[in-house]
Amino acid sequence: MNLSERLNEDMKQAMRSKDKFKLSTIRMIRATIKNQEIDLKRTLDDAEVLDILSREIKQRKDALQEFEKAGRDDLAETVKAEIEIVAEYLPTQLNEEEVKAIVQETIQETGASSKADMGKVMAALMPKVKGRADGKLVNQTVQQYLQ
């Protein structure tokens, strides 16, 4: 079952169980996917859906930081719950140690030795960790090893 089908099934299940919050969150995700499909005039594959889910998580994390800064705990709790729902559809996230190991391996593969080689390393690295690690963490780890 691909991600789009899983989202559809979970949406139906949320309707049956009358879980309005989960239903609305899944509908938001599906609307974003549908808009992208309309723009591209084709259905999206799992990798593209994964990109959308990652983007949705990132937007919500950014919003969460802003709500916490502003002291809006009510909105922060809502966004946290949305993040949990969207995260269910992402692959298991890599921990910091796993990211470091992949970064070191990629640096050796590309023969990078300085910050000037960062673009080359990131280009080789991102397909390996796509959807499984936060881009900010990956970027910081690469910078740390290329100093």
Side-chain angles (χ1 to χ4, degrees), residues 107-121:
I107 288 173
Q108 289 175 350
E109 287 173 5
T110 58
S113 58
S114 68
K115 281 196 174 196
D117 299 323
M118 186 159 173
K120 182 171 44 169
V121 173

Side-chain angles (χ1 to χ4, degrees):
M1 178 183 301
N2 68 28
L3 281 172
S4 294
E5 292 169 353
R6 187 169 159 216
L7 281 164
N8 286 335
E9 289 302 313
D10 287 354
M11 184 182 75
K12 290 176 190 174
Q13 185 59 41
M15 282 183 207
R16 286 186 203 110
S17 64
K18 297 184 181 359
D19 184 348
K20 291 182 180 181
F21 186 76
K22 186 170 186 172
L23 178 62
S24 69
T25 303
I26 292 173
R27 280 183 172 160
M28 271 192 288
I29 294 166
R30 288 192 62 233
T32 305
I33 292 168
K34 191 68 175 167
N35 287 337
Q36 187 71 25
E37 287 177 342
I38 290 168
D39 289 347
L40 297 174
K41 296 180 173 70
R42 62 179 174 81
T43 58
L44 301 179
D45 62 15
D46 273 358
E48 293 166 320
V49 172
L50 197 61
D51 286 342
I52 290 171
L53 292 172
S54 297
R55 193 168 51 236
E56 291 291 318
I57 288 271
K58 185 177 184 317
Q59 288 172 353
R60 282 168 174 74
K61 284 182 179 177
D62 291 345
L64 179 62
Q65 286 178 342
E66 294 302 316
F67 291 146
E68 287 174 343
K69 275 188 209 171
R72 294 296 309 266
D73 295 332
D74 54 331
L75 295 174
E77 291 303 315
T78 302
V79 172
K80 283 180 188 175
E82 286 180 359
I83 289 171
E84 287 178 20
I85 291 171
V86 177
E88 291 175 21
Y89 301 98
L90 292 175
T92 306
Q93 296 295 298
L94 298 171
N95 64 32
E96 198 169 331
E97 294 304 315
E98 292 170 323
V99 171
K100 285 180 180 180
I102 294 171
V103 166
Q104 287 175 329
E105 176 186 313
T106 306
I107 288 173
Q108 289 175 350
E109 287 173 5
T110 58
S113 58
S114 68
K115 281 196 174 196
D117 299 323
M118 186 159 173
K120 182 171 44 169
V121 173
M122 292 299 287
L125 183 62
M126 288 313 287
K128 294 179 183 180
V129 298
K130 190 173 201 159
R132 300 185 312 149
D134 180 38
K136 192 182 242 182
L137 172 65
V138 173
N139 190 316
Q140 290 171 346
T141 307
V142 171
Q143 286 182 6
Q144 179 184 350
Y145 282 107
L146 290 180
Q147 285 183 343

